[in-house]
Structures are given as structure tokens and as C-alpha cells.
Amino acid sequence: MVGDRADLRREAGRRRRDSLLEAALELLAERGQDGLTLRDVTDRAGANVAAVSYHFGSLKGLCETAVEQALERYLDAQIDALDSLGPAPTLPELAEAFARPMMRALAAGGRESAVLRTVARVGIEPPQGWDRLTGKFEQVRHDAARALAAQLPDVDKEELAFRARCAAGMLNWLALSPINAELAAKPTAEVERLLVPVVAGAFHGYRHTA
């Protein structure tokens, strides 16, 4: 009986923590961090101020954890998309997989698109202390560079990894720029038609031959 009650308390605590994270991410996507108050988050989550202090220490800690987890989900989605490719994908296939999480968020619109902008902003320059995500950033670049090597055997691995980083930076910029709204208004197939060749071009690069 005592063990059952303890399990129920832990489960209730986990649900409360998750609801706070979800509320913080939604509000950050809607408003940004400036002007966001602790009461805003607790009202949205249906929790009390003490729960924020208990689980995260402060509003700042809550917001950082929420965005970090959202960024991790984005990176995991990229990794899964790249893992789904065959042994020697074409550049368009690789570009589609690389951009898939962003295109899905654009297609979903609303909150998903807003969250994407929050994640993209942080993805450009992750805060100090987020070292645990370094391995996932590196894995995305490594997986993309490995797939690129089959199509671009004359380009060294370091340069291929650089191109993957440039492509990621371009996607982050698209998420934050006015073009994001233009893309979000288009059908999914049209977004893919427009975006995949651009990402594939970044992967391919250009070499001037005299």
C-alpha cells in the first residue's frame, strides 16, 4: 500500500513536470522569453509556483529545460530521418531527410511552426551547459557527411561536415526569417519542391574549374 502511494505520487509529479515543460514551450513559442512570467506558465499548466521551484529551481531553469528538450526532439527526428536512408542515397534524398523535421513542422503550422522558430533560434548558438547535446549535433553532421561521401567522393570529410553545418544553419535561418510564413502557407508538396533542391545544392557545393 505504501509503495503504491509512492508510485502514484511519483507519477503525479512526473505529469506535473511534463505539463510545466509543455506550457513553457508553448508560451515561449507564442511570446518569446521577454515578458514571460512565472504566473503565465503555472496558469497554463494548471500548477502552482512551488512546483516550478521544486522541479526546475526557477522560471529560467524551466524555460531552458523546455527549449533544450524541444531541440533534442528535433535532432532526434533528424537522426531518425538520416538513419532511414539507404546505403547510398542521392543528394535530393539526403536533402529531403535532412530537412524533413522542419518541413513537417511547417506543414503542421500553428504551435509546431512556432516551436520550430524557438528551437532554430537556440540551435544557432546553444547556451553554455548544453554539452549533453553536443554528441547529437555531431551525429547529425557525421551521418550527413557519411551519406554525402558516397555521392561526392572527391570532397574530404571535413569539408562535407562543413557543408552539413551550413545546410543546418540555412534551415535555422529559414525558420526565423519572413520566408517561414511564406513556406507555411504553401502545400507540403510545394514546400518540398522548393526546399529540397536548395538544401541539395548546399550539400553539392560549387567548384570553379579554370
Side-chain angles (χ1 to χ4, degrees):
M1 182 68 74
V2 174
D4 291 342
R5 285 200 296 267
D7 289 342
L8 288 173
R9 285 196 298 271
R10 280 194 293 270
E11 179 61 22
R14 184 192 63 78
R15 288 197 302 269
R16 191 176 301 112
R17 184 179 189 276
D18 289 346
S19 68
L20 285 166
L21 287 169
E22 191 68 14
L25 187 58
E26 288 176 357
L27 289 166
L28 285 168
E30 292 171 10
R31 310 180 191 176
Q33 191 160 353
D34 292 341
L36 183 63
T37 69
L38 190 58
R39 182 61 64 188
D40 292 332
V41 179
T42 54
D43 285 350
R44 177 71 64 95
N48 56 43
V49 172
V52 176
S53 297
Y54 176 78
H55 290 290
F56 305 100
S58 64
L59 175 62
K60 181 175 183 290
L62 168 58
C63 291
E64 287 180 350
T65 302
V67 177
E68 182 182 8
Q69 288 192 0
L71 178 56
E72 184 173 24
R73 287 198 297 269
Y74 181 86
L75 292 172
D76 285 340
Q78 263 193 323
I79 291 168
D80 289 343
L82 293 171
D83 283 347
S84 71
L85 294 170
T90 64
L91 289 182
E93 288 172 342
L94 176 57
E96 190 280 330
F98 196 80
R100 190 179 301 160
M102 177 182 176
M103 293 191 292
R104 285 181 175 173
L106 286 172
R111 174 187 171 279
E112 291 300 318
S113 184
V115 169
L116 175 67
R117 291 194 296 275
T118 301
V119 168
R121 191 177 297 111
V122 176
I124 290 173
E125 189 174 356
Q128 291 183 348
W130 285 20
D131 296 341
R132 75 180 188 85
L133 293 183
T134 299
K136 294 196 174 186
F137 278 109
E138 291 178 350
Q139 184 175 348
V140 169
R141 292 194 291 266
H142 175 268
D143 290 351
R146 183 180 57 189
L148 281 171
Q151 296 294 330
L152 303 170
D154 295 333
V155 182
D156 65 51
K157 291 181 179 179
E158 184 176 347
E159 185 171 342
L160 292 176
F162 175 77
R163 292 184 188 183
R165 293 178 68 184
C166 288
M170 180 177 65
L171 290 177
N172 285 333
W173 178 83
L174 285 171
L176 296 170
S177 74
I179 295 178
N180 176 276
E182 296 175 22
L183 291 174
K186 297 182 183 297
T188 303
E190 179 67 3
V191 173
E192 184 174 332
R193 186 189 71 79
L194 290 169
L195 189 55
V196 167
V198 176
V199 178
F203 285 150
H204 184 273
Y206 171 77
R207 287 182 179 273
H208 177 71
T209 54

